[in-house]
Amino acid sequence: MTLKQNSVQNNMSFDPFNEPLLATGGYDHTIKLWQPYSGLCQRTLQHADSQVNALDIIPNGTILAAGGYQHIRLYDMNYSYPMINFDGVTKNVTRVGFQEDGKWMFTGGEDCRVRIWDMSTQNPACKRMFDCLTPVNAVCLHPNQVELAIGSQGGSVYLWDVKSDVHEQLIPEVEASIQDIAISPNGQYMAAVNNKGNCYIWSLSNSANSETQLTQTDPKLRIEAHKKYALRCKFSPDSSLLVTCSGDGTARIYKTDTFQLHAELKIEKYWMWDAVFSNDSKYLFTASSDGHARLWKIETKSIEREYHGHLKAITALAFRDGSAKT
């Protein structure tokens, strides 16, 4: 991602399928779609009756998924209201995401369940379910596209093979809620952050029999990432960086070759709810409780752009570049 294209982007009509897109959602019951280069808000989607807890964009760029209180909604990018409302979910839906070909979607929530939704029909249905026994705060998909990493309020981290139904449970710290979980795109590391501000890192490796056994996990280190509640962790697309976000108002970026602190981005007096890297791993989008999203240049720790329009806290981000996968 580069910022030199501002003038070009400002003079072009907005095409959500082929242009870069930033989606933001929060406590004002709306989702906003932005041109990330210009900072212009191109469309506001209504998310009635609930805050937005999680967002993701299907790989071909045509659909936006949103999770909220007792809601999972799919939006066609061309319209302001959801085209599909999923029934049968209770409590908060905390995570949504897609398999790389868009064939299925995964969700997790405070009803203690992770669900797999078949996206191959006009009326997507739940095909598989995993019960974590305690509320689910986080779910992410392994690059192998068959394993899900899950973080629960009970403090457990699970690896679940959605095909074989084999699973493994890890407990990195007792009496601590796992707030988010991430796996690096190269499949080398898994990270999890908890409500005590700690970040745990595992090295990952393929099992001897990958057809029947889960990815092997080896505890690597614990990082005292924040003095307050940690909220999110994400790896960069090139797997060289890890960011953690917190209620202390910071996004802290670590280099994955040493896991030493590389940069700290700070907003005074507000929570840093979410973050996502640009595709070149040189910029970071953040969402905070002051109702603003920001684009930071990591090298200089400077704010390159701000996105104003939400009336309350922004709690979820999704970003894609302009090259939709078909």
Side-chain angles (χ1 to χ4, degrees), residues 32-33 35 48 53 62 92 122 151 170 192 213 217 240 291 294 307:
K32 294 184 180 294
L33 306 182
Q35 284 184 329
N53 297 324
T62 60
N92 275 304
Q122 290 186 341
L170 308 170
Q213 295 181 357
T217 59
S240 69
R294 294 172 173 87
Y307 308 88

Side-chain angles (χ1 to χ4, degrees), residues 88-315:
V89 293
T90 60
K91 302 184 179 181
N92 275 304
V93 176
T94 54
R95 290 295 186 274
V96 294
F98 292 98
Q99 180 261 357
E100 64 178 358
D101 296 323
K103 294 179 179 178
W104 48 269
M105 177 177 72
F106 61 87
T107 64
E110 291 180 350
D111 65 354
C112 308
R113 293 176 174 86
V114 175
R115 292 176 169 85
I116 303 297
W117 304 84
D118 183 3
M119 298 292 292
S120 63
T121 65
Q122 290 186 341
N123 296 305
C126 179
K127 296 299 184 182
R128 287 183 179 269
M129 190 181 302
F130 183 76
D131 195 333
C132 294
L133 303 179
T134 61
V136 173
N137 287 336
V139 188
C140 76
L141 182 60
H142 192 289
N144 65 22
Q145 302 298 303
V146 296
E147 292 177 339
L148 288 176
I150 303 163
S152 73
Q153 284 186 25
S156 294
V157 169
Y158 298 90
L159 276 179
W160 174 40
D161 187 310
V162 301
K163 288 186 176 181
S164 68
D165 211 31
V166 174
H167 70 274
E168 179 185 4
Q169 181 183 16
L170 308 170
I171 304 177
E173 183 175 351
V174 296
E175 298 182 355
S177 171
I178 301 296
Q179 298 304 114
D180 201 14
I181 196 162
I183 296 177
S184 59
N186 63 9
Q188 187 174 357
Y189 296 115
M190 179 172 69
V193 292
N194 66 24
N195 62 339
K196 295 183 179 180
N198 294 322
C199 178
Y200 288 85
I201 308 294
W202 291 264
S203 296
L204 304 181
S205 59
N206 294 328
S207 60
N209 188 343
S210 60
E211 294 296 322
T212 59
Q213 295 181 357
L214 288 166
T215 295
Q216 295 182 351
T217 59
D218 181 27
K220 183 175 177 64
L221 78 158
R222 184 188 73 156
I223 303 170
E224 294 181 2
H226 301 276
K227 296 186 182 301
K228 293 183 179 180
Y229 218 87
L231 295 165
R232 292 287 194 277
C233 59
K234 300 275 181 66
F235 286 96
S236 61
D238 66 2
S239 299
S240 69
L241 301 172
L242 170 70
V243 64
T244 62
C245 301
S246 170
D248 65 8
T250 66
R252 307 191 81 191
I253 300 169
Y254 300 84
K255 286 191 172 182
T256 57
D257 55 352
T258 61
F259 285 100
Q260 295 297 307
L261 183 64
H262 175 61
E264 181 180 89
L265 313 177
K266 186 173 181 61
I267 300 296
E268 297 290 344
K269 301 179 181 179
Y270 294 101
W271 285 33
M272 196 81 82
W273 271 99
D274 200 0
V276 61
F277 287 93
S278 62
N279 283 47
D280 62 7
S281 304
K282 294 180 180 180
Y283 295 86
L284 186 76
F285 297 95
T286 62
S288 55
S289 59
D290 61 357
H292 304 324
R294 294 172 173 87
L295 175 63
W296 304 74
K297 188 174 183 179
I298 295 171
E299 182 181 2
T300 60
K301 308 175 190 177
S302 59
I303 298 173
E304 299 289 316
R305 187 150 291 111
E306 295 190 351
Y307 308 88
H308 303 286
H310 284 279
L311 301 178
K312 295 182 180 180
I314 302 175
T315 52

Side-chain angles (χ1 to χ4, degrees), residues 11-119:
N11 293 325
M12 292 176 63
S13 60
F14 181 60
D15 179 356
F17 303 150
N18 297 307
E19 291 184 23
L21 174 70
L22 174 68
T24 59
Y27 275 86
D28 63 358
H29 296 193
T30 67
I31 299 166
K32 294 184 180 294
L33 306 182
W34 308 83
Q35 284 184 329
Y37 297 141
S38 67
L40 295 176
C41 180
Q42 294 296 328
R43 186 173 296 114
T44 297
L45 312 179
Q46 302 303 314
H47 192 267
D49 306 323
S50 169
Q51 79 280 358
V52 179
N53 297 324
L55 294 170
D56 198 26
I57 301 169
I58 200 167
N60 67 12
T62 60
I63 294 173
L64 176 73
Y69 180 69
Q70 297 185 339
H71 292 296
I72 304 167
R73 291 166 171 158
L74 298 184
Y75 294 81
D76 184 310
M77 291 295 195
N78 284 319
Y79 301 98
S80 298
Y81 292 88
M83 63 179 186
I84 296 177
N85 240 324
F86 290 85
D87 297 323
V89 293
T90 60
K91 302 184 179 181
N92 275 304
V93 176
T94 54
R95 290 295 186 274
V96 294
F98 292 98
Q99 180 261 357
E100 64 178 358
D101 296 323
K103 294 179 179 178
W104 48 269
M105 177 177 72
F106 61 87
T107 64
E110 291 180 350
D111 65 354
C112 308
R113 293 176 174 86
V114 175
R115 292 176 169 85
I116 303 297
W117 304 84
D118 183 3
M119 298 292 292

